[in-house]
Amino acid sequence: MLQSPRGRAGAAFLQLAIAARTMAGAPAVSLPELRSLLALGRARLIDVRSREEAAAGTIPGALNIPVSELESALQMEPAAFQALYSTQKPKLEDENLIFFCQMGKRGLQATQLAQGLGYTGARNYTGAYREWLQQEG
């Protein structure tokens, strides 16, 4: 069983860990955690950049839904979503529904929007495609 860090240093560490998981009120995912989730097949990635940006390169396995279309996409009937995006619509209870963009702003916006629609597992990849390209590209 993991033990909690103790003392001031431990408290500071816990505060940093919590801050890292939450960016402006939205649950976040770091690159190491994203790598792990992808390796386990436990993440559903949504690239909210424009179609042109995504066509130039994206994280393998990501579904591209531009942020301007996201609200209507997440409110579609499952059959309509399947027809338009050629994949199953995320469920409200899906864990690790991870949104990302180029640098972080649209990913955060998408995560907050999804949370507002009831997607409890919505998270923001704070490093965004920029970090992925630098580290994995």
Side-chain angles (χ1 to χ4, degrees):
M1 186 165 173
L2 292 175
Q3 290 191 353
S4 300
R6 298 181 193 247
R8 281 190 202 170
F13 174 80
L14 287 175
Q15 287 176 330
L16 285 173
I18 291 166
R21 290 205 43 134
T22 306
M23 181 177 168
V29 61
S30 66
L31 181 57
E33 185 179 6
L34 179 60
R35 282 183 189 133
S36 176
L37 289 169
L38 289 173
L40 295 170
R42 296 190 58 219
R44 181 132 187 221
L45 291 173
I46 299 182
D47 182 344
V48 296
R49 299 175 300 154
S50 70
R51 296 198 195 297
E52 295 77 20
E53 287 174 294
T58 191
I59 299 173
L63 171 64
N64 177 232
I65 304 176
V67 73
S68 60
E69 299 174 18
L70 186 64
E71 184 171 11
S72 62
L74 292 178
Q75 293 178 331
M76 285 180 174
E77 291 297 319
F81 187 97
Q82 173 82 37
L84 185 59
Y85 297 106
S86 302
T87 191
Q88 269 193 325
K89 179 182 174 187
K91 294 177 178 66
L92 292 176
E93 65 277 3
D94 282 351
E95 290 184 12
N96 301 311
L97 181 61
I98 300 171
F99 297 91
F100 70 94
C101 61
Q102 186 66 32
M103 297 179 67
K105 184 177 178 183
R106 290 174 287 175
L108 175 61
Q109 179 185 2
T111 303
Q112 292 172 332
L113 182 134
Q115 286 179 316
L117 292 173
Y119 287 86
T120 56
R123 298 174 69 189
N124 179 33
Y125 169 34
T126 55
Y129 185 65
R130 181 172 155 177
E131 179 183 58
W132 180 269
L133 190 59
Q134 290 171 348
Q135 300 293 320
E136 304 291 323

